[in-house]
Amino acid sequence: MLTEITLGQYYPGESVVHHLDPRTKILGVLFYMVMVFLANSPLSYGLLIAFLIAATALAKLPPGLLLKSIKPLWIIILLTLVLHFFTDPGEVLWHWKVFTITKEGIIMGIKMSLRLVLLLLVSSLMTFTTSPIVLTDGIESLLRPFKRVGVPAHELAMMMTIALRFIPTLLEETDRIMKAQMSRGADFSSGNIVQRAKNLLPILIPLFISSFRRADELALAMEARCYHGGEGRTRMHELVYQKRDGAAAFILVLLFAVLVFLRWGMPA
Amino acid sequence: MSIEVDHISYTYMAHTSLENKALEDVSFRVDKGEFVALIGHTGSGKSTLAEHLNGLLHPDEGCVRVDGVDLKGKDRAAKEARGKVGMVFQYPEHQLFAETIYEDIAFGPRNQGKSPEEVDAAVRSAMAFVDLDYDVFASRSPFQLSGGQMRRVAIAGVVAMEPDYLIMDEPSAGLDPVSRDNIFSQLMKIFHKRQMGVILITHSMEEAAQYADRLLVMSGGKLHLDGPARDIFTHDRETLEKLSMDVPESVKLADELRQQGLSLKGTPLTEAELIRAIERAKGWKAC
């Protein structure tokens, strides 16, 4: 049942992309997103797509796995496409009753949905190749400079790590409670919305109680092992930039330079 | 009147990399009025098997019949058959949710569509079975109770549904010895009064030997032994050893006494039986 849901998209592997420093990947993804909005010609989009394909190949991800990440948002992408088709003003290509398709609309629609797809794919590429724990390590390390202005970097990262760690546990717990209440004749699939929401109480209440209990126990266990926050805490795996991180940064900067040139440097 | 398990197999997450064969060609039957213990190590498939017995899981192959009705069906008869099997999960107190103990125990009977009077009668008798005073406890919150009491409330919630068969998954886990004895003496009381079929899932050989008439021994998703407790602990000790399972302490102690030269007879399944056997061997009179 619920335990069969796989959470987090991490796809374990031993590729160069997997071994990149999480900070490189996070910053790289942000940088790539900036570039997606910088691109304005078919050639620059082609370069961005080529980069993504190359990175996916380097990560040795099965083809199609990445494309699956579009699935939850395909309606929004389709809507973007269709809305632009029919609403943008410009040179009319096709007209029927109130529906008008313009050349500009088609171009704009394709451009916008392509941007969405690229944003989605590049962030999926990161989550596919970086385990959630490593990712939070990276976020913590990137947020550390902001500590001076009051961003609790370590605490945020610790909260994320704990939350991620307990998702499978809670799912298992939900599954067990559901089964127990079902064997007492609880019915979760009939009745109107109010009735159904009410029927969920026998699951939600025990789940809340056990979450509080777990939180309590965990806090106690952490305290017993002398956890006192991030101050002066060392880690087992220190994040260190490697040569490959430099190479990745170099490629991204190069791509950026080419895109800037394509946008502003080309004689009109 | 029986639960029949007919050559069932079950695989978790079939056709994925995490495929896990939990049950493999398991067959047995439990009659009404029988007290059976299902024993095996963690991960031997006993909890998975239990979830098949009241239709929470359906086997990939084979079928489970309760009083002759296949649980897989979607019709009324199948639903009714599933309702005949009560299931007490591990740590059942973690499923308590209602504001009062009365409401929590009444949850099951109400879902069965009983009238308010019938629900009331069912709650009262279930509370009596688990030794919870109705006047004292009915209107209290279940979350104010001790662990042992909470577990009794949870068990009462299943007993109140008046099942013909009762499955209990390690009802004594995490309880102190006194609470454990209480739970079992209450369980035996219900068992004798209602003549249910009881399946006790446990990994304590002492519990199995003391309470069950028959043992089902599971390992690696397969049913390895099925027979009266005394026979298994007398004749199948090699098989048990191969499955790295123990025999009750009293049997072990009897063995050692025999090695020391005491001519003990039989296989004492409980402490009391062992004491009697020693008395007989020594020619002491019971006092």
Side-chain angles (χ1 to χ4, degrees):
Chain A
M1 279 164 101
L2 283 173
T3 41
E4 300 197 0
I5 298 171
T6 47
L7 260 157
Q9 306 194 69
Y10 183 53
Y11 187 88
E14 288 292 323
S15 74
V16 192
V17 184
H18 281 87
H19 286 301
L20 276 180
D21 193 287
R23 293 170 294 181
T24 312
K25 280 189 267 191
I26 296 168
L27 292 176
V29 164
L30 292 174
F31 199 41
Y32 186 91
M33 287 177 168
V34 172
M35 287 194 271
V36 166
F37 287 100
L38 201 70
N40 64 341
S41 66
L43 183 59
S44 42
Y45 279 112
L47 281 173
L48 286 173
I49 294 170
F51 172 82
L52 205 59
I53 291 172
T56 313
L58 266 179
K60 293 185 189 126
L61 293 176
L65 180 69
L66 206 57
L67 290 174
K68 263 190 206 153
S69 59
I70 301 178
K71 228 166 111 189
L73 283 179
W74 71 271
I75 290 186
I76 293 177
I77 292 165
L78 201 72
L79 213 65
T80 315
L81 198 67
V82 171
L83 279 178
H84 277 291
F85 271 20
F86 289 105
T87 56
D88 284 15
E91 187 187 325
V92 177
L93 289 179
W94 180 80
H95 182 83
W96 179 72
K97 288 187 182 164
V98 290
F99 299 106
T100 320
I101 294 185
T102 64
K103 194 176 153 200
E104 282 75 8
I106 291 183
I107 293 172
M108 204 55 188
I110 290 176
K111 201 164 127 186
M112 283 302 169
S113 34
L114 189 62
R115 278 181 178 175
L116 274 178
V117 170
L118 285 177
L119 293 180
L120 210 57
L121 288 184
V122 74
S123 38
S124 305
L125 182 63
M126 176 176 72
T127 49
F128 273 128
T129 57
T130 321
S131 78
I133 300 292
V134 174
L135 206 58
T136 40
D137 274 359
I139 292 172
E140 178 180 356
S141 164
L142 286 174
L143 286 178
R144 209 170 290 153
F146 299 102
K147 233 178 167 170
R148 294 227 186 94
V149 290
V151 178
H154 171 78
E155 284 71 18
L156 282 176
M158 181 54 88
M159 268 155 63
M160 267 173 79
T161 312
I162 291 173
L164 285 167
R165 158 68 186 77
F166 276 95
I167 288 171
T169 314
L170 280 184
L171 273 179
E172 217 170 273
E173 185 101 21
T174 314
D175 188 53
R176 218 183 36 230
I177 295 169
M178 255 176 97
K179 278 179 175 164
Q181 307 299 26
M182 269 159 72
S183 64
R184 285 168 75 189
D187 183 4
F188 304 118
S189 51
S190 60
N192 59 25
I193 285 190
V194 180
Q195 195 58 43
R196 272 194 212 193
K198 234 175 125 185
N199 287 348
L200 284 180
L201 279 184
I203 298 178
L204 291 180
I205 292 173
L207 200 58
F208 266 108
I209 291 169
S210 80
S211 308
F212 287 134
R213 192 184 54 236
R214 271 181 212 288
D216 236 16
E217 282 168 4
L218 183 67
L220 201 65
M222 284 167 83
E223 218 155 68
R225 288 201 260 167
C226 303
Y227 176 79
H228 56 87
E231 219 50 62
R233 188 173 160 86
T234 57
R235 30 183 76 249
M236 188 167 167
H237 303 286
E238 292 282 355
L239 293 176
V240 182
Y241 286 116
Q242 306 284 334
K243 273 193 190 130
R244 52 176 170 259
D245 296 297
F250 178 71
I251 293 169
L252 277 164
V253 170
L254 199 66
L255 188 63
F256 180 74
V258 173
L259 287 182
V260 167
F261 177 73
L262 283 176
R263 182 162 183 153
W264 288 295
M266 288 262 274
Chain B
M1 301 293 262
S2 62
I3 298 181
E4 286 161 81
V5 174
D6 195 357
H7 297 283
I8 64 167
S9 298
Y10 185 79
T11 308
Y12 281 107
M13 303 185 92
H15 316 300
T16 68
S17 53
L18 297 166
E19 193 174 272
N20 174 13
K21 212 162 169 109
L23 291 177
E24 229 181 310
D25 195 28
V26 174
S27 297
F28 63 89
R29 72 180 264 163
V30 173
D31 289 318
K32 229 184 140 188
E34 225 182 341
F35 198 123
V36 176
L38 180 59
I39 49 184
H41 289 299
T42 316
S44 61
K46 47 193 199 315
S47 292
T48 308
L49 177 60
E51 287 177 11
H52 278 82
L53 301 180
N54 72 345
L56 286 170
L57 292 176
H58 294 302
D60 296 333
E61 286 161 50
C63 70
V64 180
R65 284 183 297 264
V66 172
D67 297 346
V69 181
D70 190 342
L71 292 185
K72 219 172 193 166
K74 292 205 159 57
D75 50 344
R76 239 191 121 71
K79 202 180 165 198
E80 239 162 62
R82 288 197 286 269
K84 284 183 191 170
V85 185
M87 172 97 180
V88 177
F89 280 79
Q90 258 178 57
Y91 297 100
E93 63 273 23
H94 292 178
Q95 292 123 31
L96 298 175
F97 68 96
E99 279 167 56
T100 66
I101 291 169
Y102 183 93
E103 287 301 310
D104 210 290
I105 298 175
F107 181 68
R110 274 198 196 126
N111 285 330
Q112 286 175 317
K114 285 188 171 141
S115 72
E117 295 79 45
E118 285 172 317
V119 170
D120 195 64
V123 173
R124 279 171 190 274
S125 91
M127 282 183 76
F129 267 127
V130 296
D131 285 335
L132 287 171
D133 192 340
Y134 182 91
D135 298 315
V136 178
F137 288 102
S139 57
R140 275 210 213 167
S141 161
F143 302 109
Q144 294 170 341
L145 302 177
S146 72
Q149 286 171 326
M150 273 164 94
R151 185 161 302 179
R152 269 143 67 186
V153 171
I155 292 173
V158 175
V159 170
M161 296 174 76
E162 289 160 355
D164 290 340
Y165 306 93
L166 186 63
I167 303 161
M168 304 191 106
D169 198 347
E170 300 199 24
S172 64
L175 289 186
D176 59 275
V178 176
S179 305
R180 195 164 64 209
D181 287 347
N182 282 341
I183 295 256
F184 275 109
S185 72
Q186 288 147 13
L187 179 61
M188 293 314 278
K189 200 168 69 185
I190 305 167
F191 168 65
H192 287 304
K193 178 98 182 266
R194 297 220 179 129
Q195 281 303 302
M196 297 185 291
V198 174
I199 300 175
L200 169 72
I201 302 172
T202 178
H203 49 223
S204 153
M205 294 297 157
E206 285 75 29
E207 275 177 14
Q210 189 173 355
Y211 300 107
D213 313 315
R214 207 174 110 210
L215 302 186
L216 299 170
V217 181
M218 296 259 319
S219 181
K222 288 190 194 129
L223 187 62
H224 283 266
L225 295 168
D226 175 356
R230 199 173 304 274
D231 285 5
I232 285 181
F233 288 131
T234 313
H235 304 300
D236 294 306
R237 296 187 56 174
E238 258 174 52
T239 319
L240 285 176
E241 216 160 280
K242 227 173 19 201
L243 303 174
S244 56
M245 276 195 255
D246 241 340
V247 294
E249 291 296 330
S250 55
V251 179
K252 270 194 261 176
L253 188 55
D255 280 351
E256 267 178 46
L257 287 172
R258 257 182 226 126
Q259 269 172 18
Q260 305 272 330
L262 194 71
S263 64
L264 279 181
K265 283 200 189 79
T267 311
L269 293 181
T270 61
E271 235 171 83
E273 280 184 32
L274 178 65
I275 293 169
R276 245 174 291 140
I278 295 172
E279 282 168 353
R280 225 170 296 139
K282 284 275 189 190
W284 295 332
K285 275 198 190 123
C287 43

